[in-house]
Amino acid sequence: MAGANNSLLHSTTLLTALLFAFLAMLILPGTANAADSGITRHYKFDIELKNVTRLCHTRSIVTVNGQFPGPRIVAREGDRVVVKVINHVKDNITIHWHGIRQLQSGWADGPAYVTQCPIQTGQAYVYNFTITGQRGTLFWHAHISWLRATVYGPIIILPKHNVPYPFVKPHKEIPIIFGEWFNTDPEAIIKQALQTGGGPNVSDAYTINGLPGPLYNCSAKDTFRLKVKPGKTYLLRFINAALNDELFFSIANHTLTVVDADAVYVKPFNTTTLLITPGQTTNVLLHTKPYNPNANFLMAARPYVTGQGTFDNSTTAGILEYEYPSDVTQNIKKLPLFKPKLPTLNDTSFATNFTKRFRSLASLQFPANVPKTVTRRFFFTVGLGTNPCPKNHTCQGPNGSMFAASVNNVSFALPTTALLQAHFLRQSYKVYTADFPYEPTLPFNYTGNPPTNTNVSNGTKLVVLPFNASVELVMQDTSILGAESHPLHLHGFNFFVVGMGFGNYNPSKDAAKFNLLDPVERNTIGVPAGGWVAIRFQADNPGVWFMHCHLEIHTSWGLKMAWAVLDGDLPNQKLPPPPSDLPKC
């Protein structure tokens, strides 16, 4: 009898185990329950040289799969994305998945010497991450030196299956990515600038989907054309992948409805002109005219400029064309071409008013979970400065010095060992120190007359945060070497923009006006020229996270720092060990 009972017990246990195994199979990524858990999407990126001609200049550029811009990553919220990157060029390479939260996947974030050592010639690395709680448009780009000048492409995140957009379903979706074209090698440009201490040579053109457009010499054939039908709604996914310029954009005689920013839905608003800083993305609805207008419309982008240095003041353009029925023949060249009116190059008033229009949906389905209480407060100055000219060296920076940039007067020096690896292995000695200043060590009138000593300090300093700390950070522009807008990008987190203003931040007055109800949620925000911005975020993602100006020259000069977020107590609050194929330095 006991043997029979044991046999029955064994059979019941086996059936239970099989049932659990079957249920587990149903919820594994890429299996039957894909609508809820997502699937795994595999991509292969071959880093290779390609001859590309623009403005009658042919140059061998670094590309992904021979494409410029690079291939699209398309996924749904909840999907796992696996990208094998193989380096076939002489340059070291890394890829950053800009704006992806990288929850518990910090090893896949991509900034060189922060979360990984670079992928060297002939080596490969597999980036592996899951898209959680995001839908909209982001982008990927190289994150070492200035290679992102040509190595970039869109990330399109669709909602989960059977989850509609919170706006009208578009007839078609089109990524529009802004970039810059250099007739000479950008790597040579930044190398020369860092050697001389002066400002870098500027780009020769801006581009729309890799094409400069008809307003440049020898470029009419390299024009992006957007073909639309009357009476339809199009979702345009805008990305600013330019190295060093914020851009105004407009389509002649058309209104755009902004619905999403940095892969977060926003309260829709109408505008005729967009402002997008490097690192930002903006999704808009374009409602075409109900009839065929018998005209073409120029789509144009040119820079918003606040600094005192030289800049590329040219205009890139594409053409919006209405399609005709197949039985109608029309000579496109004879149609009138309407041109948009863009703000002036230094229109800070428009830039400010436009930026302040962004608000989170703050709905039941898409709440704005802005931290209401704060456990860590920081005040960072961001701006330019100088380093002394080395002995027996001629420098081209201010008064014979070398240009530098800093956060709280610390110009960040990248180590030769990846910070995340040193943090994970608890081997920070001679790699970094955990004493980044919470506020300026020497307060001054930040937007008034600058101090006579403009030299910065140099070092590799981090801020260490306990897991789940509620962070409030005020970033203050300085007038040292001229007030200037700085698009600051935070890796690993979205943040809420709770306040913004001009002049010096006043905590007793300005904090009382913070928007804690429906502030916009972003990963990149422009610190206003001669002003400040306040953000809040929850440090719920263990790892080491880069924060830097997305104007590439400012990053090269040291306007960057990093946050180390400690593990939490639970298994899903800890950084996993590094992958076995993590590149070595």
Side-chain angles (χ1 to χ4, degrees):
M1 190 71 179
N5 283 341
N6 286 340
S7 176
L8 181 63
L9 183 64
H10 176 74
S11 299
T12 306
T13 305
L14 184 62
L15 282 171
T16 304
L18 287 171
L19 178 61
F20 273 110
F22 175 71
L23 289 172
M25 282 176 61
L26 288 181
I27 61 174
L28 281 173
T31 55
N33 206 27
D36 292 326
S37 64
I39 62 173
T40 299
R41 298 176 186 261
H42 291 271
Y43 291 87
K44 184 184 176 190
F45 278 16
D46 284 298
I47 310 298
E48 55 193 24
L49 294 177
K50 172 88 171 181
N51 282 343
V52 173
T53 302
R54 298 287 187 270
L55 312 182
C56 282
H57 283 74
T58 300
R59 199 161 59 76
S60 180
I61 66 172
V62 181
T63 69
V64 169
N65 301 345
Q67 299 176 41
F68 172 65
R72 300 178 190 179
I73 295 284
V74 181
R76 290 192 180 275
E77 179 187 350
D79 283 354
R80 183 169 159 238
V81 176
V82 178
V83 187
K84 184 174 184 178
V85 177
I86 308 168
N87 187 8
H88 304 281
V89 302
K90 65 178 177 57
D91 301 278
N92 289 344
I93 194 80
T94 69
I95 303 292
H96 170 50
W97 316 93
H98 182 108
I100 297 289
R101 284 289 318 273
Q102 299 292 2
L103 289 162
Q104 284 192 289
S105 55
W107 304 104
D109 192 43
Y113 302 106
V114 178
T115 60
Q116 68 168 97
C117 297
I119 307 167
Q120 298 176 30
T121 307
Q123 292 185 344
Y125 180 50
V126 177
Y127 292 90
N128 186 337
F129 54 88
T130 299
I131 298 171
T132 305
Q134 296 178 282
R135 73 295 296 173
T137 305
L138 297 170
F139 72 115
W140 57 263
H141 61 78
H143 211 304
I144 182 169
S145 191
W146 277 24
L147 288 181
R148 77 175 181 89
T150 57
V151 180
Y152 61 82
I155 301 175
I156 295 167
I157 308 172
L158 303 171
K160 292 182 178 181
H161 281 290
N162 303 318
V163 177
Y165 292 126
F167 45 80
V168 62
K169 185 179 180 181
H171 169 67
K172 196 174 180 183
E173 304 183 11
I174 301 106
I176 297 179
I177 187 161
F178 300 116
E180 287 175 282
W181 171 260
F182 294 82
N183 286 334
T184 54
D185 182 9
E187 290 300 284
I189 290 173
I190 182 56
K191 183 179 179 182
Q192 180 188 36
L194 293 179
Q195 282 178 346
T196 65
N201 293 339
V202 300
S203 56
D204 294 283
Y206 299 107
T207 57
I208 298 176
N209 289 350
L211 303 171
L215 303 183
Y216 296 97
N217 291 332
C218 192
S219 186
K221 65 180 177 54
D222 292 324
T223 299
F224 173 68
R225 296 178 183 274
L226 176 58
K227 297 189 175 175
V228 297
K229 296 179 179 179
K232 300 289 186 182
T233 298
Y234 293 80
L235 180 66
L236 307 183
R237 298 172 172 271
F238 286 99
I239 300 163
N240 187 348
L243 280 187
N244 289 311
D245 289 278
E246 306 179 56
L247 295 169
F248 292 123
F249 173 85
S250 184
I251 304 176
N253 296 16
H254 286 74
T255 299
L256 306 171
T257 304
V258 176
V259 294
D260 186 301
D262 292 358
V264 181
Y265 296 132
V266 299
K267 289 184 172 72
F269 66 90
N270 294 333
T271 183
T272 56
T273 303
L274 302 175
L275 171 66
I276 311 181
T277 77
Q280 288 185 338
T281 62
T282 307
N283 283 5
V284 307
L285 298 178
L286 168 67
H287 304 286
T288 58
K289 298 181 184 300
Y291 54 87
N292 200 309
N294 290 316
N296 289 328
F297 303 91
L298 206 65
M299 310 183 296
R302 73 178 182 198
Y304 164 54
V305 180
T306 56
Q308 315 235 337
T310 55
F311 62 94
D312 177 355
N313 67 350
S314 62
T315 302
T316 183
I319 298 176
L320 180 73
E321 299 176 351
Y322 278 73
E323 293 182 13
Y324 286 84
S326 56
D327 59 342
V328 174
T329 57
Q330 181 73 39
N331 190 338
I332 297 293
K333 291 182 179 178
K334 291 185 178 179
L335 291 176
L337 179 64
F338 290 94
K339 298 180 180 179
K341 183 174 172 51
L342 288 165
T344 57
L345 294 169
N346 61 350
D347 195 342
T348 293
S349 175
F350 175 88
T352 304
N353 292 332
F354 177 78
T355 302
K356 287 184 175 180
R357 296 182 72 184
F358 285 82
R359 291 282 187 272
S360 288
L361 275 184
S363 63
L364 285 175
Q365 188 177 5
F366 304 106
N369 295 318
V370 55
K372 298 295 195 299
T373 58
V374 174
T375 59
R376 294 286 192 281
R377 280 189 166 84
F378 301 88
F379 180 78
F380 288 177
T381 55
V382 295
L384 303 185
T386 56
N387 274 319
C389 190
K391 288 183 178 179
N392 303 319
H393 196 78
T394 302
C395 295
Q396 297 174 3
N399 301 315
S401 66
M402 304 185 79
F403 270 113
S406 67
V407 182
N408 273 354
N409 206 48
V410 178
S411 189
F412 194 85
L414 282 177
T416 53
T417 300
L419 294 171
L420 184 60
Q421 192 169 341
H423 166 75
F424 181 82
L425 297 174
R426 293 179 173 81
Q427 295 176 350
S428 62
Y429 180 66
K430 290 190 176 180
V431 179
Y432 69 85
T433 57
D435 57 349
F436 191 90
Y438 282 31
E439 57 191 20
T441 50
L442 293 171
F444 60 98
N445 182 0
Y446 307 114
T447 55
N449 292 326
T452 53
N453 182 3
T454 60
N455 286 342
V456 300
S457 63
N458 299 272
T460 309
K461 300 173 183 289
L462 273 62
V463 171
V464 177
L465 293 171
F467 180 81
N468 221 30
S470 299
V471 177
E472 179 180 289
L473 167 62
V474 176
M475 291 181 282
Q476 171 77 57
D477 182 38
T478 70
S479 57
I480 299 174
L481 304 183
E484 190 167 357
S485 175
H486 299 280
L488 262 292
H489 170 52
L490 175 61
H491 290 227
F493 302 93
N494 281 350
F495 52 74
F496 292 93
V497 184
V498 297
M500 182 179 290
F502 288 95
N504 295 334
Y505 173 70
N506 185 328
S508 60
K509 292 181 180 178
D510 294 324
K513 302 173 190 172
F514 283 176
N515 174 14
L516 303 180
L517 182 65
D518 62 349
V520 69
E521 184 179 349
R522 307 204 70 137
N523 64 60
T524 305
I525 188 66
V527 179
W532 56 270
V533 66
I535 65 172
R536 287 187 181 184
F537 65 94
Q538 202 79 29
D540 57 358
N541 194 4
V544 175
W545 304 107
F546 209 25
M547 189 177 82
H548 60 96
C549 182
H550 225 274
L551 302 179
E552 205 63 36
I553 184 58
H554 291 176
T555 299
S556 300
W557 284 338
L559 210 167
K560 51 196 175 188
M561 56 83 63
W563 308 80
V565 179
L566 302 177
D567 284 347
D569 295 330
L570 302 177
N572 66 348
Q573 298 172 345
K574 297 180 188 299
L575 177 70
S580 59
D581 63 338
L582 188 71
K584 306 287 192 295
C585 287

